[in-house]
Amino acid sequence: MGAAGSKLEKALGDQFPEGERYFGFENFGNTCYCNSVLQALYFCVPFREQLLEYYTSNKSVADAEENLMTCLADLFSQISSQKKKTGVIAPKRFVQRLKKQNELFRSYMHQDAHEFLNYLLNEVVDILEKEAKATKTEHETSSSSSPEKIANGLKVPQANGVVHKEPIVTWVHNIFQGILTNETRCLRCETVTARDETFLDLSLDIEQNSSITSCLKNFSSTETLHAEDKFFCDKCCSLQEAQKRMKIKKPPHILVIHLKRFKYIEQLGRYKKLSYRVVFPLELKLSNTVEPYADVEYSLFAVVVHVGSGPNHGHYVSLVKSHNHWLFFDDENVEMIEESAVQTFFGSSQEYSSNTDHGYILFYESLGPAK
């Protein structure tokens, strides 16, 4: 990327952000799904900062015990410590570890970037939780004579000799996790039953010529449960017709939205790519939230794009906003693009179009303080 790198440096000139690095990733045979997601995560500043902090404080352990997280931290550290401002890095150690751990990613077939992102974040959570549990066990052992027990690094008073365990909350949860509330209202007695569930990303159904706002409204639209789908109401002690809807109870600091562009078509007996035009705004206001998070605002900072007409072949690239500049990452190549170019990745307004570059995973950062 010598010429391309110098071109990027020239384009940014004295506006090149102090201490920032823009490096393309080498492709090891259909690893673009991995490269595009890693670029989005690298420019997710809170994630990068936490991972580099983890790397610095666990470097001696990382050398002894390699896992997917230490390989990722090592890669991020390599990028951030480069003397050059631009260039190409081979994420070889990370890709080797990924293939070793998960056979799904071993073949040279086209992989799904969303599946990879899900796997990676859950893997990092698992590693952090195991480490937190190990630390907790050490604390408990060292303070077993104390009348209070340590749970996940926090002292939790015992009630009748029972220790109330707090769920482990990692920094991945603090960055990406939101809470959905599933509200079901019995149409006979009007009782509302609410069930909460956590999420690290939102998968949205899409329609032609729509927007993220309308997709979110559909996600939270009211559904009537009747006939065979009746709801068992605890108050009525019987099956009743009910209305159900999903709302965002607590929005995450980083909102990851996955557009369901690959749909199984029964008549065809296979998956088909939906090239629908779905407008994703640079600034997004969430309206389907509960108080006190009404109208929380987000700013788009990364998009993983699927290039191609079908689900089993194609390519992935990413668009990233860094220090108010938009960059286009395509494996080894990195170039600057105008903000207005982002809308060329909304999708096609006609079913048959030569445009095959469509936004697939969107990364939004909350503009307000994390609550």
Side-chain angles (χ1 to χ4, degrees):
M1 189 185 124
S6 56
K7 191 180 168 188
L8 178 62
E9 284 184 57
K10 204 174 280 182
L12 282 162
D14 57 6
Q15 285 189 300
F16 204 104
E18 184 67 36
E20 193 59 273
R21 298 289 177 265
Y22 300 129
F23 275 71
F25 289 151
E26 197 177 312
N27 189 320
F28 298 105
N30 254 345
T31 54
C32 57
Y33 69 91
C34 173
N35 291 348
S36 56
V37 168
L38 293 184
Q39 294 290 7
L41 288 175
Y42 184 79
F43 291 98
C44 176
V45 177
F47 182 81
R48 185 209 305 189
E49 286 176 349
Q50 287 285 359
L51 195 61
L52 290 175
E53 192 182 303
Y54 173 88
Y55 182 76
T56 307
S57 54
N58 293 273
K59 194 159 188 339
S60 55
V61 183
D63 290 338
E65 297 174 42
E66 182 187 278
N67 58 41
L68 203 59
M69 184 173 164
T70 60
C71 292
L72 183 63
D74 182 56
L75 175 64
F76 278 21
S77 174
Q78 269 186 61
I79 301 165
S80 63
S81 60
Q82 289 290 325
K83 286 187 171 66
K84 287 183 178 180
K85 292 178 178 179
T86 58
V88 178
I89 277 183
K92 197 169 187 179
R93 188 177 163 205
F94 178 84
V95 171
Q96 281 177 339
R97 182 75 209 183
L98 175 69
K99 291 187 175 189
K100 184 180 177 183
Q101 268 190 228
N102 191 326
E103 60 181 316
L104 182 71
F105 302 111
R106 265 174 226 164
S107 75
Y108 286 97
M109 286 170 65
H110 185 68
Q111 302 290 348
D112 189 298
H114 179 242
E115 275 184 23
F116 166 66
L117 173 64
N118 250 327
Y119 175 72
L120 179 59
L121 289 182
N122 282 301
E123 192 63 25
V124 172
V125 165
D126 285 349
I127 293 163
L128 291 172
E129 284 180 346
K130 277 175 192 158
E131 289 179 3
K133 280 175 189 167
T135 307
K136 178 193 138 188
T137 306
E138 281 174 30
H139 282 148
E140 282 181 351
T141 308
S142 61
S143 60
S144 55
S145 56
S146 165
E148 292 179 319
K149 292 280 185 184
I150 303 266
N152 309 324
L154 297 170
K155 283 189 177 181
V156 179
Q158 292 187 88
N160 303 323
V162 178
V163 180
H164 293 284
K165 289 193 175 182
E166 297 289 315
I168 294 171
V169 178
T170 70
W171 50 260
V172 176
H173 293 119
N174 290 335
I175 295 169
F176 293 104
Q177 185 173 275
I179 301 171
L180 292 171
T181 186
N182 199 334
E183 294 177 351
T184 310
R185 185 168 63 91
C186 173
L187 292 178
R188 184 179 174 214
C189 70
E190 299 288 322
T191 301
V192 175
T193 308
R195 195 184 79 247
D196 292 351
E197 57 185 84
T198 59
F199 66 93
L200 293 178
D201 66 43
L202 282 183
S203 288
L204 301 181
D205 288 309
I206 60 173
E207 290 175 356
Q208 179 58 292
N209 295 322
S210 59
S211 66
I212 293 300
T213 307
S214 64
C215 291
L216 283 164
K217 275 183 183 157
N218 287 342
F219 178 79
S220 291
S221 61
T222 302
E223 177 192 351
T224 303
L225 305 175
H226 54 82
E228 289 162 16
D229 296 324
K230 279 184 182 176
F231 167 74
F232 186 87
C233 175
D234 288 336
K235 196 168 180 184
C236 299
C237 294
S238 59
L239 289 168
Q240 296 294 335
E241 288 194 349
Q243 284 184 331
K244 184 176 105 170
R245 69 172 178 174
M246 188 85 83
K247 289 181 87 172
I248 297 171
K249 186 176 181 179
K250 185 176 185 292
H253 178 57
I254 300 291
L255 174 65
V256 181
I257 294 176
H258 159 238
L259 301 180
K260 293 184 182 176
R261 287 208 174 270
F262 305 117
K263 186 180 181 182
Y264 188 76
I265 310 294
E266 283 195 27
Q267 298 95 309
L268 301 174
R270 60 179 167 83
Y271 281 89
K272 181 185 182 230
K273 182 180 178 184
L274 304 177
S275 304
Y276 299 162
R277 178 180 166 84
V278 182
V279 174
F280 44 88
L282 299 175
E283 306 293 327
L284 175 69
K285 190 179 273 192
L286 280 190
S287 56
N288 57 338
T289 50
V290 297
E291 296 292 348
Y293 301 103
D295 295 331
V296 61
E297 290 188 66
Y298 285 88
S299 180
L300 184 72
F301 71 88
V303 183
V304 172
V305 173
H306 182 267
V307 181
S309 55
N312 302 316
H313 52 83
H315 184 52
Y316 286 103
V317 296
S318 49
L319 318 173
V320 162
K321 187 180 185 182
S322 169
H323 303 272
N324 294 319
H325 298 289
W326 278 94
L327 300 161
F328 177 77
F329 286 85
D330 182 355
D331 290 333
E332 292 94 340
N333 299 306
V334 187
E335 59 188 76
M336 220 174 130
I337 58 168
E338 293 295 324
E339 186 176 82
S340 58
V342 174
Q343 62 191 13
T344 60
F345 299 93
F346 288 166
S348 322
S349 50
Q350 285 92 30
E351 190 174 346
Y352 299 103
S353 166
S354 56
N355 175 19
T356 62
D357 307 3
H358 310 117
Y360 183 46
I361 311 169
L362 314 171
F363 294 76
Y364 283 92
E365 182 165 22
S366 170
L367 293 173
K371 292 185 184 179

